[in-house]
Each structure stands twice: as C-alpha cells, then as structure tokens.
Amino acid sequence: MSDRRLQVFHAVAKHGSFTRAAEHLHMTQPAVTFQIKQLEDHLNVRLLERGHGKISLTTTGELVLAYAEKILDLSEELDSRVAELAGELAGKLDIGSIPAIAGYWLPPILERFKRKYPRVLPRVVMGNSRHIEEGVAAREIDIGFIEAATDNPAVEPRVATQEELVVICSPDHPLARHKQLTAQDLAAHPFIDRDPGSGLRQAAHDFFKAAGIAEDKITLCAELGSLTAVKHFVAAGMGFAITSKRTSRLDVQEGRVTAIPLEPRTFTTLQMILPRDKFRSRLITTFADFVCDEIARIAREEEGAQ
C-alpha cells in the first residue's frame, strides 16, 4: 500500500536506469518517467541528475532514497502484520546464518516450513557469527543462527543444540591414521583456520588453549572464511582443519576427507537468536517455535538411526 511514486523512485535509484527500472517493475519507460516527475513536482526538488546516458542522485535524492527505503519496508511490514491478524501467515522473513547451519540445518527446516506456510518468503544471508549477531541486534535481520553462545543484551537466544567437532584431513595425511587426536598431536601440523568472528574459530582456539598450547605455537597454514574453501584446501592435502562432524559427513562418505574425533571430545554451540522486541511479529515467533520443534525432531531421528 506504499506510494507508487516512491516505489518507482527506489527502483530507478537502485538500478541506475529508467529502462532497467521499467523492466523490473513491468512498466513502460514513459510511465516510469511520469512517476518520477510527479514525485519531483510534489516535493518541489530535483531528485536525479540525467546526463551522458547516466543517472545519479542529487544530494536531496540521496536523502529521499533513505526515507523511501524506510517507508517501503514499513509498508511491507504493515501488509504482513495485517495479513497475520486476518489469520494468514505471509511476508518476508530475513534470516542470517553461518554457512554451516545454512547448508546443513536450514534446508530441510525451510522446506517443511514453506510447505506449511507457502506465502512466506524466506531470505537467507550468510556471514560469520559476529556479523549475524550484529545484524540481529540492529534489527536488520529477523532471526539469526550462530555458532557461539551470546551474552549480547540486544538479542534473545531461543534454542541451542550442540555439534561435535572433529579434525578433517586428506586420507593420505599423517594424521589420518589416528583414532583420536589431542591438541599436542595437532600443534606441529599445518592448520587451516577460520576467519576472525567465526564461532568455530573460537571453539578451535579454546581447544588448544585448554591444552596449554598458545596461538603462536600452532602451525598456521591459512585463514578462510568459506567452509567450502576449507574443505577444498584440506582435500588437497594443505593441512588439517577443525569443523563439525555434521558438515564433514558427506565429504567423509565420498572419500574426499577423513574425520578423526578430538580428545577430549569437544562441542560447539549452535544457537538461534532474535532481536529483543515485545512487539515481535507472529511470523517471526511462529518460525522460531517451528525451528525449535524441527531441531528436536531431527536430533531424535539421528539418535534412532545410530
């Protein structure tokens, strides 16, 4: 129910072109031009500079764009909340997740949720635990999934499960013949670490620290922000990595890597976090409850299969 002129202006500003905005909005170019002129006449300012085949925002245009984005977001949220009151669960659900959860927990959960609520549009963005937590605290993300416990007062933890950590290495790596591995066993071998801000990085460093091994005594090989990249480096024989047992399961089954338990057994916490908000939408609350139920169901099924 937002102002059509703002929608058109937002599209032109984002696409940098009347033509591309028209294609995106399924309008004719003259209709787009008309809506922009109407908005400029209404505000009595010039919003766009046109010249040499390029479009740029004026200083006033940048200000209007910032407010247009807020107004459009609020309009969309209003539509969703009114639909909720009418008994229909619909709207966008912005989810932030670390790659390990996005790749291995979320797909079956979102598939089941979409079957139950087909008018909900999940939008998943990925990052490390720190970035996701900051996004949730700033209310840029509706729900976050991180690989670390949090004490941030701006977020509310709702559910946690644990993942066992294992060492992964190539099948012909010297570590592959071990039945279990201590921190002392690992320290002299090249280590492929995760990026700063990663909950898994913190868990691995805590494992070494608990064994009395300082960071400067670890033979660091590389720091990577991508779980996929870590697996490729490991499979190529460049070093070992520490990751969750779940995320390495398929690679082990297909023979690309070998997984060895840590000694002592070590776990990382997977946690769902929400912004602290007493006016939380029914969509967010329903999804959060659904995730809790699904994680418990998946855990029961895996225990029964063992």
Side-chain angles (χ1 to χ4, degrees):
M1 59 182 291
S2 57
D3 191 318
R4 185 61 168 169
R5 294 170 299 181
L6 288 179
Q7 291 179 332
V8 172
F9 171 67
H10 181 266
V12 171
K14 288 301 181 184
H15 290 278
S17 162
F18 281 80
T19 301
R20 287 196 293 273
E23 292 172 352
H24 175 75
L25 296 169
H26 305 290
M27 298 171 63
T28 64
Q29 187 169 327
V32 168
T33 302
F34 176 76
Q35 292 287 344
I36 296 297
K37 185 177 186 306
Q38 287 284 303
L39 182 60
E40 289 181 326
D41 289 347
H42 174 75
L43 297 173
N44 195 30
V45 293
R46 179 175 291 279
L47 300 174
L48 301 169
E49 295 289 357
R50 308 162 179 82
H52 305 292
K54 294 183 179 180
I55 294 174
S56 60
L57 291 172
T58 63
T59 301
T60 306
E62 291 176 354
L63 174 67
V64 172
L65 177 61
Y67 275 92
E69 289 178 337
K70 294 179 182 179
I71 291 168
L72 293 172
D73 285 344
L74 284 172
S75 177
E76 191 171 303
E77 183 178 333
L78 174 60
D79 290 342
S80 297
R81 297 299 289 272
V82 170
E84 287 179 5
L85 292 176
E88 182 181 20
L89 208 60
K92 289 184 295 187
L93 184 65
D94 291 315
I95 301 169
S97 177
I98 62 168
I101 297 178
Y104 298 91
W105 280 99
L106 278 183
I109 291 175
L110 287 177
E111 189 274 332
R112 289 172 70 92
F113 190 77
K114 280 286 290 182
R115 273 195 279 141
K116 192 171 184 179
Y117 304 105
R119 293 201 61 198
V120 174
L121 177 62
R123 301 193 302 188
V124 180
V125 296
M126 289 190 286
N128 64 35
S129 292
R130 182 191 301 164
H131 294 148
I132 298 303
E133 184 176 320
E134 290 172 351
V136 171
R139 287 174 167 72
E140 297 167 353
I141 298 173
D142 295 322
I143 291 182
F145 294 91
I146 61 176
E147 200 166 32
T150 176
D151 56 2
N152 188 325
V155 305
E156 175 189 330
R158 277 291 306 271
V159 67
T161 187
Q162 288 191 319
E163 289 271 22
E164 183 172 4
L165 298 183
V166 295
V167 169
I168 57 172
C169 60
S170 66
D172 56 357
H173 193 283
L175 293 173
R177 65 176 182 271
H178 289 256
K179 297 297 182 183
Q180 58 188 23
L181 289 162
T182 65
Q184 287 80 4
D185 295 328
L186 298 171
H189 294 272
F191 175 46
I192 301 168
D193 204 357
R194 299 300 301 273
D195 58 315
S198 163
L200 190 57
R201 175 191 176 102
Q202 187 61 54
H205 285 220
D206 288 345
F207 174 74
F208 285 111
K209 183 178 180 180
I213 297 176
E215 287 190 22
D216 60 359
K217 300 300 181 182
I218 301 170
T219 309
L220 187 63
C221 168
E223 290 184 355
L224 302 173
S226 162
L227 176 61
T228 301
V230 168
K231 291 179 180 180
H232 283 314
F233 271 51
V234 167
M238 293 189 65
F240 76 91
I242 295 176
T243 187
S244 76
K245 187 175 181 180
R246 174 184 294 273
T247 59
S248 59
R249 186 177 299 159
L250 182 59
D251 302 271
V252 171
Q253 290 173 354
E254 296 182 352
R256 288 190 292 272
V257 304
T258 297
I260 306 101
L262 292 170
E263 175 56 39
R265 292 180 68 191
T266 303
F267 298 84
T268 186
T269 299
L270 302 185
Q271 197 159 51
M272 177 175 68
I273 56 174
L274 301 86
R276 290 196 181 277
D277 186 355
K278 65 179 180 179
F279 298 115
R280 186 175 298 138
S281 74
R282 188 163 68 92
L283 171 55
I284 295 175
T285 300
T286 300
F287 182 70
D289 291 342
F290 187 87
V291 170
C292 295
D293 293 341
E294 283 297 293
I295 286 179
R297 179 188 64 80
I298 293 170
R300 286 194 303 271
E301 288 182 353
E302 291 185 348
E303 286 178 8
Q306 291 177 359

